[in-house]
Amino acid sequence: AQKVTQAQTEISVVEKEDVTLDCVYETRDTTYYLFWYKQPPSGELVFLIRRNSFDEQNEISGRYSWNFQKSTSSFNFTITASQVVDSAVYFCALSEAFTGNQFYFGTGTSLTVIP
Amino acid sequence: SQTIHQWPATLVQPVGSPLSLECTVEGTSNPNLYWYRQAAGRGLQLLFYSVGIGQISSEVPQNLSASRPQDRQFILSSKKLLLSDSGFYLCAWSGGQSSNQPQHFGDGTRLSIL
């Protein structure tokens, strides 16, 4: 079973629009960690944020914000006032304290920001 | 600060030829090291990970192997490449043994098999 689901395969928005990327996860572990990565066209994966299962406080970093809701097993990512440079594939990932070193990545959401 | 180097950036190889991709990490000791493959678009498939020198865990049975001859060096190899080995290969490292550490990725190697 897929541990991390990113149902949105591709999203296109016009510049300056807000966009939310969805991430739903599945785990039986009570201690786990959630991550978001950005993969621009150049290919490297860039770490954006980590959130642990005991901290449901939402986080904002500039135009980026993350909404973690354990009740719905979701960790959604919102970009406010999108820019062309935000165009990339975004991955959500889960790691569990029980399984330690392994990350479970979602299949990614390709975001295109149209100027 | 920690850096990860992965090379070559691109590689074109004929079917049946050998492969060696190298990854090194600087600025940290005893990292966890990972090899991923990203094929046909986006999905990341974990191939191997290592928690120490000589310790390799394989996630997917395949035509590839990995070795960790030194603490901060991780090598992905194949004796005979298949067409299905084409893809984008990413090396990553994370600090410590805890699952809360983010993985940090290299720039990747685009491998094309002819």
Side-chain angles (χ1 to χ4, degrees):
Chain A
Q2 191 79 0
K3 282 187 172 281
V4 177
T5 301
Q6 294 179 255
Q8 304 153 307
T9 304
E10 296 180 355
I11 300 177
S12 293
V13 298
V14 176
E15 199 170 22
K16 297 184 183 177
E17 287 183 346
D18 299 347
V19 59
T20 296
L21 310 181
D22 298 333
C23 174
V24 174
Y25 62 92
E26 179 183 332
T27 181
R28 294 182 180 179
D29 210 334
T30 55
T31 302
Y32 54 90
Y33 305 89
L34 296 163
F35 305 81
W36 274 96
Y37 286 82
K38 174 182 180 180
Q39 186 178 36
S42 52
E44 77 280 13
L45 268 80
V46 179
F47 166 65
L48 296 178
I49 191 172
R50 174 188 63 201
R51 175 62 74 216
N52 74 57
S53 54
F54 299 108
D55 182 4
E56 286 194 73
Q57 197 170 22
N58 292 331
E59 181 154 341
I60 298 175
S61 175
R63 296 184 298 106
Y64 294 173
S65 61
W66 290 269
N67 185 338
F68 176 30
Q69 293 200 350
K70 290 178 75 170
S71 60
T72 54
S73 297
S74 65
F75 186 43
N76 296 338
F77 174 26
T78 297
I79 301 174
T80 303
S82 58
Q83 300 176 2
V84 173
V85 293
D86 296 327
S87 296
V89 180
Y90 291 86
F91 289 94
C92 180
L94 164 75
S95 70
E96 300 165 316
F98 180 74
T99 52
N101 301 299
Q102 185 160 339
F103 269 39
Y104 301 96
F105 281 90
T107 51
T109 297
S110 177
L111 173 65
T112 301
V113 181
I114 304 165
Chain B
S1 64
Q2 303 89 355
T3 56
I4 179 169
H5 302 281
Q6 189 180 338
W7 68 93
T10 59
L11 189 61
V12 180
Q13 292 282 95
V15 169
S17 63
L19 173 74
S20 180
L21 302 181
E22 191 162 341
C23 173
T24 59
V25 180
E26 295 177 1
T28 186
S29 58
N30 197 30
N32 293 336
L33 297 171
Y34 308 83
W35 277 111
Y36 289 87
R37 177 168 58 201
Q38 189 176 28
R42 294 195 298 275
L44 284 165
Q45 180 186 37
L46 178 63
L47 301 176
F48 301 96
Y49 71 89
S50 171
V51 299
I53 296 175
Q55 300 178 61
I56 309 293
S57 295
S58 174
E59 293 298 311
V60 181
Q62 60 217 322
N63 185 41
L64 303 169
S65 62
S67 61
R68 185 170 178 174
Q70 300 180 42
D71 181 45
R72 290 168 289 175
Q73 183 184 29
F74 204 25
I75 299 171
L76 183 69
S77 303
S78 175
K79 292 182 179 179
K80 283 187 176 182
L81 285 167
L82 307 172
L83 281 174
S84 57
D85 292 324
S86 291
F88 187 52
Y89 289 82
L90 287 155
C91 181
W93 74 272
S94 66
Q97 301 301 312
S98 174
S99 56
N100 70 349
Q101 297 300 310
Q103 294 183 12
H104 302 278
F105 288 80
D107 291 341
T109 296
R110 295 194 185 279
L111 175 63
S112 299
I113 309 300
L114 303 179

